[in-house]
Amino acid sequence: SGSKPMIGLEGKTLTSRRLTYRLLEDGDRQALAALLADPAVTEPGGFRPARTEAEFDEFYRGLTAYHTGVAILREGALIGYICVGPWHPDDAAYAGKTCVSFGFVIGKAAQGHGYGAEALETMTAYMKGRADFCFADHFEGNEPSRKTILKCGYRFCDCYTMFFEALGREERCLSYVF
């Protein structure tokens, strides 16, 4: 990547109907650690809760190092995050195009209220100004994520199998493009 920050959210705040978005900050660390302490929240995202503070710090550094981890806030409280990453699909249709991939996690207490769809719609609209294509994936059988991704206007494009080291197992993943 060149000198242009990938998502360009430094010092900015986005808003949607009920939520606010900004880059994750050090002050979010404790709230995020609490949200990510539940395996039912993390495992659909491909990872397990951190076992130690040092392990969480390493995870948090990875999430925030490139200014691509976005806090999802409801009335000032952290309810989840969405991470934006570069994506390099094998399909020739995307050759020479700028592609990004979204991964999002909503804390247990905030699940089932449409916050994931609101966040994905908002970040997709924002990133479409910076990328040619946006992608979102989920594990096969993760019905809430599938419904969220489709609700946001994404269409199915690929299915692949990948070994998730953090989970110690292979998962079939479904990929969608906007």
Side-chain angles (χ1 to χ4, degrees):
S1 81
S3 59
K4 180 170 107 172
M6 190 174 81
I7 69 171
L9 211 51
E10 294 82 355
K12 293 182 190 168
T13 300
L14 302 176
T15 57
S16 59
R17 194 166 60 83
R18 302 173 295 171
L19 305 172
T20 304
Y21 315 86
R22 60 161 168 71
L23 291 179
L24 283 164
E25 302 169 348
D26 278 343
D28 299 321
R29 186 185 301 261
Q30 193 172 351
L32 189 61
L35 285 182
L36 300 180
D38 183 349
V41 170
T42 63
E43 290 191 13
F47 60 100
R48 295 190 196 285
R51 293 182 301 263
T52 64
E53 197 171 324
E55 197 177 287
F56 181 79
D57 287 345
E58 184 180 329
F59 170 83
Y60 193 80
R61 267 193 304 279
L63 191 58
T64 58
Y66 301 102
H67 307 287
T68 58
V70 178
I72 302 171
L73 306 159
R74 168 105 169 109
E75 296 171 356
L78 185 79
I79 63 163
Y81 74 90
I82 189 164
C83 189
V84 185
W87 191 245
H88 307 287
D90 293 334
D91 191 321
Y94 306 112
K97 302 291 186 188
T98 302
C99 300
V100 296
S101 167
F102 293 115
F104 57 96
V105 174
I106 302 294
K108 195 73 170 162
Q111 290 178 2
H113 300 283
Y115 298 133
E118 191 172 329
L120 183 59
E121 277 180 347
T122 301
M123 288 304 296
T124 299
Y126 172 76
M127 286 307 297
K128 281 301 288 175
R130 302 179 71 85
D132 299 305
F133 294 97
C134 298
F135 291 83
D137 296 9
H138 67 82
F139 289 167
E140 187 174 59
N142 183 340
E143 217 27 45
S145 287
R146 185 185 76 78
K147 286 179 178 175
T148 295
I149 292 166
L150 290 173
K151 180 181 181 179
C152 293
Y154 283 72
R155 62 178 173 73
F156 176 78
C157 65
D158 195 17
C159 183
Y160 61 93
T161 302
M162 187 170 143
F163 184 79
F164 285 79
E165 201 167 310
L167 297 177
R169 66 177 184 258
E170 215 172 58
E171 289 281 353
R172 276 178 53 85
C173 302
L174 285 78
S175 186
Y176 301 79
V177 62
F178 188 95

